[in-house]
Amino acid sequence: MTTSELAGAVPVGSVAPEFDLRDQNNRRVTLSGLREDGDVLVVFFPLAFTGTCEGELGHIRDSQPRFSDDTLTTVAVSVGPPPTHKVWSSAQGYLFPILSDFWPHGDVARSYGVLDEQRGYPNRGTFLVGRDGLVRFSAMVGPGEARTEDTWSAALAARS
């Protein structure tokens, strides 16, 4: 069940909140910089080293041509620090950016409406941001729920 509008996730048609975060290699990554090359799939996940998150990001890794090309970049975002993401991404073979929303803690997840304030980490939010900065797809599932293939397909179908 997708709960994007009910839970307050940034709706389709809105301007996507800008971010400036560090990836697993401690490099700065901005949404505006990514958008220069095309659409951006922003995938929020709760925590590294957890089964569902590992499975979802493994799906992106194993289907890389669907999630990354000359006009699409996929990034994953969580509240873990870059060193944790570095170890995890290296162990799992994730070659796409894993961004750290560590400090201010969960600020980007909060701006996208997906931060679970009680738990201190994001729900599984999925946003397709067009080159123009507008949200073209928005979905979120709650704790313990995994994204379905329908969610991935709908997000990718929303490309400009």
Side-chain angles (χ1 to χ4, degrees):
M1 179 177 100
T2 314
T3 58
S4 61
E5 304 268 347
L6 295 173
V10 174
V12 170
S14 299
V15 174
E18 178 62 38
F19 56 74
D20 183 344
L21 299 172
R22 299 272 177 183
D23 72 5
Q24 68 266 40
N25 297 307
N26 208 36
R27 291 183 297 227
R28 291 179 71 181
V29 175
T30 64
L31 179 60
S32 56
L34 294 170
R35 287 187 12 247
E36 290 177 7
D37 295 327
D39 297 335
V40 182
L41 184 63
V42 182
V43 178
F44 288 90
F45 67 97
L47 298 167
F49 297 102
T50 60
T52 301
C53 297
E54 200 166 283
E56 288 184 331
L57 272 56
H59 176 74
I60 294 170
R61 176 200 59 217
D62 296 345
S63 306
Q64 192 65 35
R66 284 181 70 199
F67 292 94
S68 179
D69 61 29
D70 291 341
T71 61
L72 175 67
T73 301
T74 297
V75 297
V77 183
S78 187
V79 294
T84 298
H85 290 164
K86 174 116 178 136
V87 170
W88 190 49
S89 65
S90 178
Q92 296 300 318
Y94 303 143
L95 301 178
F96 48 89
I98 311 284
L99 306 180
S100 174
D101 191 14
F102 185 73
W103 197 257
H105 187 80
D107 208 35
V108 174
R110 186 177 293 108
S111 73
Y112 276 79
V114 299
L115 185 66
D116 183 326
E117 296 282 355
Q118 291 185 333
R119 290 184 173 92
Y121 53 74
N123 288 308
R124 289 180 177 85
T126 310
F127 301 90
L128 193 281
V129 179
R131 180 176 242 163
D132 59 4
L134 297 179
V135 175
R136 301 195 181 282
F137 178 85
S138 172
M140 180 175 61
V141 295
E145 295 180 65
R147 282 169 266 247
T148 66
E149 181 55 39
D150 290 343
T151 301
W152 295 122
S153 295
L156 294 172
R159 293 176 63 185
S160 49

